[in-house]
Amino acid sequence: MNADRSDLASRIDMTKPHPARRYDYWLGGKDNFQADRDAAEAIAAVFPHIRTAARENRAFMQRAVRFLAAEAGIRQFLDIGTGLPTADNVHDVAQRIAPESRIVYVDNDPLVLVHARALLASSPEGATAYIDADARTPEKVLADPALRETLDFTKPIALLMVALLHFIEEHEDPYAVVRQLVAALPPGSYLVLSHATFDPLDAETIAAMDAVNKNIKPVFSPRPLADVTRFFEGLDLLEPGIVSVSDWRPQAGPRPTPAEATGYGAVARIG
Ligand SMILES: C[S@@+](CC[C@H](N)C(=O)[O-])C[C@H]1O[C@@H](n2cnc3c(N)ncnc32)[C@H](O)[C@@H]1O
C-alpha cells in the first residue's frame, strides 16, 4: 500500500486499455480513460451483452459474499483481482451482515491502488487492507505483512478470485496459482471463483471476439468448463456446482441466459 506518487504516476498508462478500467466502464463507472472506453466499445460492438455479463459477474460475487457472511459464518475475505471500487464492494456486503468482517484486497492495477482508500473504508468493528501485488506471484501475496496483520490464518477465510483468472495465460499456470493460495488456507475456508467462457457462444461471435481480443493486453483467456473445473480439484463444490454466474443461487425473477452472462461461477469448501 506504500507506493510513492512518482512511482504510481509512472505506472499508470492512460494510452493502453486496462481490464479494471474497461470493466469499470461497462459497469457505468467514471474511473476510465479514452483508451479503455475505445477497447470496451470495440468489444461491445461484437458482443453487445458485455455490460450484462459484467453486471451479472458482479452480482454473482455479491450473492456469494452474502451467502458466506450470512449462512456460512465467514468473517475473513481475501479478494484477489479486486477491481476499481464501485457500489457494494466485498467489505460493504460482508460488513453489512457482520460488521466485524476483515477483508484484504489485492490488485496489480496502479489505478486501483490510487482508489484503494475507498476500499479501506472499514466499519469500526472490522478491518480492511490493500496489497499492491500480482496474482501470478502468490508467494508475494502470502508473504505480505498486511495479510497476516489483517487475517487470522487459524480461522476460515474466503478466497475470492472473481473475473481474474482469464487474465492469466495457460503458460503462466493459473491452476498452480489457485492451488498455492488454497493450500495456505485453513480447513473450513472457501473458494469463490468466476471465469469468462465462450462455451455458450456461436462460432461467428467467437471469431469476432477473438479478432478484437488479439490486440489486447493482458491476453484474455476465456476457458471451457473442463478447464474451469480444474480450479476446484480436491475441493467440495457447493450446490449448484459450476454454472453460469446468473444461475448461481439467483434471486427470483427473470435472468440472463448463459450466452449473455458468458461466465462460470462457483463456490467450494476447502478441506
Ligand atoms: C474484471 S475485473 C474484476 C473485479 C472484481 N473481482 C469483480 O469481479 O467485480 C479484474 C481485476 O483483476 C485485476 N487483475 C488482472 N490481472 C491481475 C493480476 N495478474 N494480478 C492482480 N490483479 C489482476 C484487474 O486489475 C482488475 O481489477
Side-chain angles (χ1 to χ4, degrees):
M1 184 62 229
N2 45 1
D4 76 42
R5 297 189 80 79
S6 57
D7 173 45
L8 261 178
S10 69
R11 279 177 58 198
I12 296 176
D13 184 350
M14 289 186 280
T15 66
K16 294 202 180 70
H18 268 234
R21 290 159 6 198
R22 221 170 41 208
Y23 182 68
D24 175 73
Y25 176 72
W26 287 323
L27 287 175
K30 304 257 178 297
D31 296 315
N32 46 73
F33 304 117
Q34 194 58 49
D36 307 306
R37 295 190 281 276
D38 290 346
E41 284 297 347
I43 293 169
V46 295
F47 184 64
H49 301 302
I50 189 68
R51 288 183 184 82
T52 302
R55 279 197 303 269
E56 288 298 305
N57 173 72
R58 189 85 190 158
F60 158 76
M61 180 278 279
Q62 292 160 347
R63 289 197 305 280
V65 170
R66 263 199 300 277
F67 160 78
L68 291 168
E71 294 181 45
I74 292 293
R75 298 291 178 263
Q76 307 194 96
F77 297 83
L78 171 56
D79 180 22
I80 306 186
T82 300
L84 285 155
T86 175
D88 279 354
N89 304 293
V90 173
H91 73 281
D92 299 308
V93 178
Q95 292 184 341
R96 208 176 292 141
I97 295 161
E100 71 275 26
S101 299
R102 305 175 76 83
I103 293 93
V104 174
Y105 289 113
V106 182
D107 206 288
N108 71 343
D109 187 318
L111 198 66
V112 180
L113 176 58
V114 169
H115 288 276
R117 197 167 301 149
L119 296 169
L120 298 171
S122 173
S123 68
E125 301 89 334
T128 51
Y130 183 82
I131 299 175
D132 176 30
D134 194 308
R136 289 168 295 186
T137 50
E139 62 285 357
K140 289 207 180 129
V141 175
L142 291 169
D144 195 295
L147 183 64
R148 311 264 167 179
E149 278 159 21
T150 312
L151 304 185
D152 174 354
F153 272 67
T154 67
K155 300 207 175 103
I157 295 169
L159 167 64
L160 284 86
M161 303 183 94
V162 179
L164 164 73
L165 294 162
H166 43 240
F167 297 116
I168 303 186
E169 293 180 70
E170 226 36 30
H171 71 88
E172 296 169 317
D173 202 349
Y175 313 100
V177 167
V178 175
R179 268 200 309 276
Q180 199 174 332
L181 291 163
V182 163
L185 301 180
S189 294
Y190 286 85
L191 172 65
V192 178
L193 193 150
S194 76
H195 199 294
T197 186
F198 283 172
D199 281 356
L201 300 183
D202 58 62
E204 201 182 323
T205 307
I206 294 173
M209 292 279 268
D210 283 344
V212 174
N213 283 324
K214 77 173 186 319
N215 302 319
I216 290 178
K217 292 272 188 263
V219 170
F220 176 61
S221 307
R223 292 190 167 89
L225 182 59
D227 287 352
V228 176
T229 304
R230 287 182 61 194
F231 292 119
F232 293 96
E233 253 165 32
L235 309 182
D236 298 327
L237 275 170
L238 305 193
E239 288 297 325
I242 305 173
V243 292
S244 172
V245 282
S246 310
D247 295 336
W248 195 89
R249 304 192 180 199
Q251 283 164 348
R255 53 184 192 269
T257 64
E260 290 164 347
T262 50
Y264 288 118
V267 178
R269 194 164 188 279
I270 299 168

